[in-house]
Amino acid sequence: MNDRRDFKGYFGAEPAPCWPDGKQLAVSFVVNVEEGAELSIGDGDPRNESTYEIREEVEGAPDPCMETHFAYGTRQGYARIAGAFDSYGVKATFSTCGRVAERSPWLMRDIVARGHEVSCHGWLWQRHAHMTRTEEEAIIERTHAAIKAACGVAPVGWHTRSAPSVNTRDLLIGRGDFLYDSDVYDDDIPRMAGGHVILPYAFDTNDMRFSPGGGFVQARDFSDYVIGAFDRLLAEGEGAARMMSIGLHLRLIGRPGRIGGLEDVLAHICAHDDVWIAPRREIAACWAEAQRAEA
């Protein structure tokens, strides 16, 4: 059987650590910026977004209630998250939808001014699985252009909401201006597709689990789980390459009852000298250079 899926990965031959200054673990904080790009009839979309802290969807009419749930992220959540990063000198990747960049350029300017990376997260907060190749190509171009215009810096990374299409990676590679994508969840180690870097992402070490049924309720639920994962990966990083992704959302971890969980995670990780915390563009560039050196 010519299986299109790779179930083996690096099994039995994991690459050695290659992070700067002999660090054992690369840690990537990813803040998903989707506020204003969620589906909204009020914004001319065909339906309203239904995924949030409530399980309810208004059909056939604008939903001002859901719009304000999302707007909390930019009005309050962002400042708390950015302030926490500043307190610990941490630089993150803000994975941003194109429509957010277009309608909130002030936010993009502030993110860049603080030294963070802004990467692409689709035009809208939507899956790409059913898109035609032509449709998706146009969306990738529109997203890239909007973020470049708002930030003054061209993005080099891409991450689709959950399900990319079978064409997504080929389209990104074909453009030549994307260094990496994060559309995989199957490893703790990056890999290459030719000269293109694939950085794994994670839904477990992610504040999305504050959503109903996700398992996180108190701030310590988030910090306990993430710190446990960090400690394990750090130990494994003594002998093999390891990367950790910590996923955040402005409207989730940015709430006053949850932000302490992020602060506890930052305090724990930053107390370790053998960890490299970096934006994904730097992790991808480091990995690509290490693979070229071994070739």
Side-chain angles (χ1 to χ4, degrees), residues 151-166:
C151 297
V153 180
V156 298
W158 179 276
H159 185 204
T160 313
R161 176 188 176 179
S162 297
S165 80
V166 295

Side-chain angles (χ1 to χ4, degrees), residues 44-57:
D45 301 322
R47 66 174 181 85
N48 295 312
E49 180 56 55
S50 60
T51 301
Y52 190 54
E53 297 188 47
I54 53 173
R55 299 298 191 193
E56 182 176 307
E57 180 178 358

Side-chain angles (χ1 to χ4, degrees), residues 31-42:
V31 185
N32 297 278
V33 186
E34 300 148 350
E35 290 73 9
E38 79 280 5
L39 294 177
S40 170
I41 289 176

Side-chain angles (χ1 to χ4, degrees), residues 146-198:
I147 290 177
K148 181 179 180 180
C151 297
V153 180
V156 298
W158 179 276
H159 185 204
T160 313
R161 176 188 176 179
S162 297
S165 80
V166 295
N167 299 311
T168 305
R169 185 164 294 129
D170 285 343
L171 289 170
L172 296 174
I173 293 173
R175 288 177 57 93
D177 49 6
F178 281 96
L179 171 62
Y180 72 89
D181 75 74
S182 302
D183 284 342
V184 298
Y185 305 83
D186 57 4
D187 218 321
D188 299 309
I189 308 172
R191 59 181 182 268
M192 303 294 296
H196 182 82
V197 184
I198 302 173

Side-chain angles (χ1 to χ4, degrees), residues 19-279:
W19 308 124
D21 302 319
K23 303 294 186 182
Q24 291 179 202
L25 176 65
V27 173
S28 165
F29 286 91
V30 178
V31 185
N32 297 278
V33 186
E34 300 148 350
E35 290 73 9
E38 79 280 5
L39 294 177
S40 170
I41 289 176
D43 283 332
D45 301 322
R47 66 174 181 85
N48 295 312
E49 180 56 55
S50 60
T51 301
Y52 190 54
E53 297 188 47
I54 53 173
R55 299 298 191 193
E56 182 176 307
E57 180 178 358
V58 174
E59 298 181 359
D63 185 355
C65 176
M66 183 63 79
E67 290 179 350
T68 62
H69 280 299
F70 273 80
Y72 186 91
T74 52
R75 294 169 65 96
Q76 289 291 337
Y78 170 73
R80 293 190 182 110
I81 295 169
F85 286 152
D86 287 348
S87 294
Y88 288 93
V90 165
K91 304 305 179 187
T93 294
F94 284 72
S95 184
T96 303
C97 294
R99 192 162 77 180
V100 177
E102 185 175 79
R103 72 197 309 180
S104 298
W106 61 271
L107 181 63
M108 301 298 102
R109 290 192 295 268
D110 192 80
I111 291 169
V112 172
R114 293 173 189 260
H116 302 295
E117 173 191 12
V118 179
S119 62
C120 295
H121 194 31
W123 175 252
L124 300 179
W125 189 47
Q126 64 181 163
R127 300 170 182 85
H128 283 210
H130 297 292
M131 291 183 183
T132 67
R133 187 180 183 93
T134 300
E135 179 185 11
E136 186 174 24
E137 184 175 29
I139 285 175
I140 292 172
E141 169 57 30
R142 188 180 187 188
T143 304
H144 187 276
I147 290 177
K148 181 179 180 180
C151 297
V153 180
V156 298
W158 179 276
H159 185 204
T160 313
R161 176 188 176 179
S162 297
S165 80
V166 295
N167 299 311
T168 305
R169 185 164 294 129
D170 285 343
L171 289 170
L172 296 174
I173 293 173
R175 288 177 57 93
D177 49 6
F178 281 96
L179 171 62
Y180 72 89
D181 75 74
S182 302
D183 284 342
V184 298
Y185 305 83
D186 57 4
D187 218 321
D188 299 309
I189 308 172
R191 59 181 182 268
M192 303 294 296
H196 182 82
V197 184
I198 302 173
L199 297 181
Y201 191 57
F203 280 175
D204 64 324
T205 49
N206 194 306
D207 69 359
M208 65 186 289
R209 294 185 59 203
F210 280 112
S211 298
F216 292 167
V217 178
Q218 303 295 334
R220 64 178 177 270
D221 296 333
F222 172 82
S223 57
D224 285 353
Y225 188 92
V226 172
I227 288 171
F230 168 81
D231 288 347
R232 179 57 182 253
L233 289 171
L234 181 62
E236 292 180 359
E238 292 185 20
R242 288 292 185 269
M243 173 186 171
M244 180 178 188
S245 294
I246 302 172
L248 309 170
H249 298 75
L250 303 183
R251 62 193 180 276
L252 295 179
I253 202 71
R255 287 279 175 175
R258 297 169 179 162
I259 190 65
L262 174 60
E263 292 167 342
D264 288 346
V265 166
L266 288 166
H268 183 85
I269 292 177
C270 291
H272 292 75
D273 294 329
D274 42 4
V275 177
W276 181 41
I277 307 172

